Amino acid sequence: MTIRLNPKGYKPTKKERIEHNIDNFEQKVGKALDYLNAGETTKEQFINEINVAHSNYKRNQKRIYELED
């Protein structure tokens, strides 16, 4: 079962989408850094996680800016 937190028909604004995208990127980078500091990942794995997070961020930003208001 899906729980919907937004009222029916509500669509987040571009600003809200951008803020969520930034928060998501920061969360992924922070988690990767925590794993690196704890010794659970190697430097190469850390770099890969950062690259994946950054490419996802860029792709999402491009999609957000292509949306119509």
Side-chain angles (χ1 to χ4, degrees):
M1 182 172 96
T2 302
I3 299 172
R4 296 177 188 236
L5 299 176
N6 292 335
K8 189 173 183 178
Y10 174 78
K11 290 186 178 180
T13 64
K14 279 189 181 183
K15 182 179 179 183
E16 291 170 331
R17 290 175 187 266
I18 291 168
E19 288 172 354
H20 176 74
N21 194 31
I22 291 169
D23 291 343
N24 192 34
F25 175 72
E26 290 173 347
Q27 182 182 20
K28 300 252 184 212
V29 170
K31 188 182 286 187
L33 189 58
D34 289 344
Y35 286 139
L36 180 67
N37 288 337
E40 296 178 18
T41 60
T42 64
K43 184 178 176 183
E44 290 78 24
Q45 289 171 318
F46 171 75
I47 292 170
N48 183 53
E49 288 293 321
I50 298 299
N51 288 337
V52 168
H54 186 249
S55 65
N56 289 342
Y57 169 80
K58 289 192 305 184
R59 184 185 70 237
N60 290 338
Q61 286 296 93
K62 183 178 178 185
R63 288 181 180 168
I64 290 168
Y65 283 109
E66 289 173 352
L67 290 174
E68 295 181 13
D69 283 332

